[in-house]
Amino acid sequence: MSDPDAAPQHTPPPAPAGPAAPAVGRRTHPLTGLLQGVLWAFAGVASLTGSLLGDGWGNVPTWVALLVAVVGGLALGEAAGFLQWYFTRYVIDTAEVRVERGILTKTSRRMPFERIQSVDIAEPLLARAFGLAELRIDMAGGDDAGTTLRFLTLEEARATRRLLLDRAHGREHDASVRHDVQGDLVAEASPAQVLLGTLVSLDFVIAVLGGVGLLVASLVAGQVVVFLGGVVAVGTWLIQIVGQRVIRQWGFTLHRTPDGLRIERGLLSRTSQTIPFARVQGVAVHEPFVWRRLGWSRLDVDVAGYAKAGGDDATATSSTLLPIADREVTARVLETLVPGAFSAEPDVQAPSRAWPVDPVAWRFRRVGSNEQGFTAREGWVERRTSVVPHHKVQSVEVRQGPLGRRLGLATVEIHTPDGPVDADGKNLDAETARSVALAELDLARTARRGA
Amino acid sequence: MSDDLFRPVGPPWQRVSPALTKALRILCVLPLLLLAVVLAVLGVLLPVPSVVSWVLLGAAAATVLGAAWTWSWADRSRRAVGYAEQEDDLIVSSGVMFRRLVAVPYGRMQFVDVSADPLERWLGIATVTLHTASTETAAEIPGLPAEEATRLRNRLTELGESRGSGV
């Protein structure tokens, strides 16, 4: 958080060492420079090759240009990697983690323990080959709150995570406990199930139908070459969709640990991510059309600080808690995360006069709440149920546009931190929307006091 | 009926300064009038076929009408802004066509911003924005007199501290 007044109740005691203090602390693993350098070297080689071959470089023969590009790219990348590693140090003291970076411009990021939201370990493929891992520390708020320590040995990363989580939860840290607490296995998803789920998921089916349609069209038009090219393109694309999901969720396990739920997944790059129970802001259950009939669902969670993570990277922090699971497993995980909140069927429905603004979807909208949480359900093709525990509600909104005014409709929204959970009751009867919102305010107040 | 929907829950709405009307008019009406003048001048002076100059003059007239509508909208928009400090939540309402009511529990506020651009400063008003951990909250109270903005900020920060319940 940029503003120190932002959350005064969290302000840590003034730390003894200012930014001017000498940068003592530990460096990350020495191979970091090399590995980071390799990654940058690829970029360097590529861009140098492009510029040298593209514009030509006077009358220099091509092979010289290539050689210069490769050697230069490698040298630049490795040098940058080494310098970055050399000038990066981290300190873990009694109150915070501090990461000092920078060659000319020194930056020092401090993360007070009580602000740490989660600590994850990722093993990108290249690092994993050397037994290294990166440690990701997430804090609430701010666009780039938190930091990534790259790279530590896996053992060291695990030990550091345990230390940070112990401190973050205000527990005594016992360094003699060697291993990460593994916890009880709550759920796992086999690659076969993920594969099957992907094959019957709607976007995949649409992609297949679209691809086949295009191919048939090209065949009818007598464009055999286009057809053959199309087969290759569509085929690769589909394999890519399936491959990405299956590889990413390979060997998915969900454990319950004292700190929260721990997700481990990935075939090539492994990710180990912990979601603390108390940080879960809301839960969304997705049930695509075919999955629903098979009793499968996907579970996503809202965790403060995860929204901006995302990214296409296979190890990126993910808000998916269960990529695919049976009803019973989903219910068990939900019961762990939002006890009691999910049992109630939402009972407030959108009125039929909402059809002009909401032709099909109005039939499937429901909101409702019980003592524990607020539930909103919508969608026919893909049913989505969002659950927000009352004590996590951020704010409540009622809104109405000109059409809604004419039809006597209004939308109620329960705000949660950015993420997959979207607890909205769209186009409800106006007075009902208002009373739902006011009731939610009361329930949230009571829940906050109890918490 | 619709006003009923957005009636305050407890204490009556506190309204904002009429200076907001002025600010909105300066921001929205003035450029429209300038545009109308430019269009009219072009329509009269440019050596183009008469059809084109009539079109330009027509556009100028339409812009003037738009400016007139905006003039009255500015005041309605200002009147639509209201806030109420309840025991546990701050309620903010705004919007003429698209009405919106947001209730923010004091304990959920992460921070409160007071901002004033040069125009607002000249008119002696400021905008207070409330932030929670959710960006959807986006609760903004424009057109508060400067002292009231400061008072509200201090009050909200104080309440946030005493009732804060973390994220």
Side-chain angles (χ1 to χ4, degrees):
Chain A
M1 201 119 3
S2 51
D3 183 357
D5 296 332
Q9 67 270 34
H10 291 313
T11 311
V24 287
R26 307 172 61 182
R27 290 208 177 91
T28 52
H29 196 276
L31 273 175
T32 302
L34 190 72
L35 291 181
Q36 188 68 61
V38 169
L39 295 179
W40 282 339
F42 278 125
V45 169
S47 74
L48 275 180
T49 312
S51 82
L52 291 184
L53 292 185
D55 307 338
W57 216 26
N59 295 325
V60 180
T62 310
W63 69 269
V64 176
L66 265 181
L67 192 71
V68 171
V70 170
V71 173
L74 273 174
L76 279 177
E78 285 301 332
F82 173 77
L83 284 175
Q84 199 210 29
W85 166 77
Y86 187 81
F87 286 99
T88 300
R89 283 163 193 271
Y90 67 99
V91 189
I92 300 173
D93 62 19
T94 51
E96 60 182 10
V97 195
R98 210 161 55 238
V99 181
E100 322 258 355
R101 287 209 167 90
I103 301 163
L104 295 174
T105 315
K106 298 277 182 195
T107 61
S108 167
R109 166 148 301 173
R110 316 166 139 220
M111 285 158 287
F113 292 137
E114 67 271 21
R115 295 273 294 273
I116 293 177
Q117 290 279 346
S118 63
V119 184
D120 300 335
I121 294 174
E123 300 165 75
L125 186 56
L126 187 62
R128 196 177 168 208
F130 290 88
L132 298 179
E134 66 181 49
L135 199 68
R136 296 191 181 139
I137 305 171
D138 264 321
M139 292 196 303
D143 268 346
D144 55 358
T147 194
T148 302
L149 268 183
R150 182 179 288 157
F151 295 101
L152 307 172
T153 61
L154 188 56
E155 199 56 29
E156 208 180 340
R158 288 205 173 126
T160 313
R161 168 164 75 178
R162 225 166 50 73
L163 169 71
L164 292 181
L165 287 176
D166 279 349
R167 292 273 161 79
H169 290 96
R171 285 195 301 257
E172 269 310 304
H173 177 65
D174 181 4
S176 64
V177 180
R178 296 290 305 168
H179 289 287
D180 249 2
V181 187
Q182 193 49 261
D184 317 321
L185 184 69
V186 180
E188 54 189 335
S190 67
Q193 198 183 11
V194 175
L195 177 67
L196 203 59
T198 311
L199 290 180
V200 297
S201 70
L202 195 72
D203 45 352
F204 184 76
V205 170
I206 288 177
V208 169
L209 290 182
V212 169
L214 278 176
L215 292 183
V216 169
S218 70
L219 207 59
V220 169
Q223 304 280 338
V224 178
V225 181
V226 175
F227 172 77
L228 291 178
V231 167
V232 174
V234 170
T236 0
W237 181 45
L238 293 180
I239 290 172
Q240 219 177 346
I241 297 184
V242 177
Q244 238 174 25
R245 288 195 203 167
V246 175
I247 288 172
R248 222 172 259 203
Q249 305 293 355
W250 193 275
F252 180 97
T253 58
L254 183 69
H255 284 92
R256 178 216 288 266
T257 72
D259 301 318
L261 291 172
R262 176 160 305 161
I263 295 168
E264 292 187 351
R265 61 182 175 88
L267 175 62
L268 305 175
S269 306
R270 291 287 295 174
T271 308
S272 163
Q273 183 185 341
T274 308
I275 299 177
F277 298 119
R279 313 279 193 196
V280 172
Q281 306 281 331
V283 186
V285 182
H286 298 261
E287 296 165 285
F289 196 75
V290 180
W291 288 28
R292 201 153 74 230
R293 270 136 196 88
L294 298 169
W296 295 343
S297 54
R298 193 179 88 228
L299 203 64
D300 283 341
V301 287
D302 252 11
V303 176
Y306 273 16
K308 81 264 174 186
D312 250 359
D313 183 5
T315 62
T317 307
S318 150
S319 53
T320 301
L321 197 56
L322 285 175
I324 186 165
D326 300 338
R327 227 167 248 141
E328 180 214 343
V329 175
T330 312
R332 199 161 66 223
V333 175
L334 280 169
E335 198 49 39
T336 314
L337 287 176
V338 282
F342 203 66
S343 55
E345 269 299 297
D347 51 358
V348 180
Q349 241 179 301
S352 59
R353 62 175 187 280
W355 71 265
V357 279
D358 218 354
V360 181
W362 69 267
R363 287 171 198 276
F364 304 97
R365 290 193 198 291
R366 304 270 189 291
V367 298
S369 59
N370 60 7
E371 296 78 51
Q372 309 302 325
F374 179 87
T375 306
R377 173 172 297 162
E378 63 175 16
W380 170 58
V381 176
E382 173 163 335
R383 186 162 71 188
R384 192 177 63 184
T385 313
S386 298
V387 184
V388 183
H390 291 312
H391 63 280
K392 294 294 187 188
V393 169
Q394 294 293 333
S395 53
V396 178
E397 172 179 340
V398 180
R399 64 188 155 77
Q400 186 181 50
L403 270 175
R405 188 144 50 240
R406 194 134 307 164
L407 296 166
L409 304 171
T411 292
V412 53
E413 275 188 22
I414 308 298
H415 296 154
T416 54
D418 303 0
V421 178
D422 219 356
D424 301 348
K426 290 203 185 82
N427 303 317
L428 303 180
D429 171 69
E431 274 305 314
T432 311
R434 181 178 160 98
S435 54
V436 164
L438 296 183
E440 185 52 39
L441 273 180
D442 281 338
L443 286 165
R445 182 180 312 132
T446 317
R448 272 199 311 278
R449 291 208 176 123
Chain B
M1 156 98 206
S2 64
D3 277 352
D4 226 28
L5 181 60
F6 292 97
R7 68 188 178 265
V9 187
W13 291 123
Q14 281 177 268
R15 295 299 175 184
V16 296
S17 159
L20 179 62
T21 310
K22 230 182 269 179
L24 287 174
R25 282 180 181 160
I26 293 173
L27 271 180
C28 305
V29 178
L30 219 58
L32 282 177
L33 286 180
L34 280 176
L35 179 65
V37 169
V38 170
L39 285 172
V41 168
L42 285 179
V44 173
L45 295 183
L46 273 191
V48 287
S50 65
V51 184
V52 177
S53 48
W54 278 117
V55 167
L56 283 170
L57 285 177
T63 314
V64 169
L65 281 181
W69 184 85
T70 312
W71 181 271
S72 80
W73 163 84
D75 199 49
R76 278 183 293 145
S77 178
R78 193 268 296 176
R79 282 172 201 280
V81 178
Y83 62 99
E85 291 166 78
Q86 294 193 261
E87 199 186 323
D88 291 286
D89 330 88
L90 182 82
I91 303 203
V92 182
S93 172
S94 63
V96 181
M97 291 276 275
F98 294 86
R99 302 215 58 178
R100 182 169 189 261
L101 180 146
V102 189
V104 189
Y106 297 128
R108 283 283 172 243
M109 281 174 208
Q110 294 283 321
F111 55 102
V112 182
D113 273 344
V114 181
S115 66
D117 59 32
L119 178 66
E120 287 177 311
R121 279 221 303 278
W122 177 64
L123 291 164
I125 55 175
T127 300
V128 169
T129 314
L130 287 88
H131 298 267
T132 67
S134 167
T135 50
E136 293 172 296
T137 300
E140 217 182 59
I141 316 174
L144 286 170
E147 325 82 81
E148 168 66 3
T150 318
R151 182 200 69 81
L152 192 61
R153 197 255 319 259
N154 292 342
R155 169 106 183 108
L156 293 178
T157 312
E158 196 180 293
L159 284 169
E161 260 172 66
S162 61
R163 311 197 181 191
S165 42
V167 175

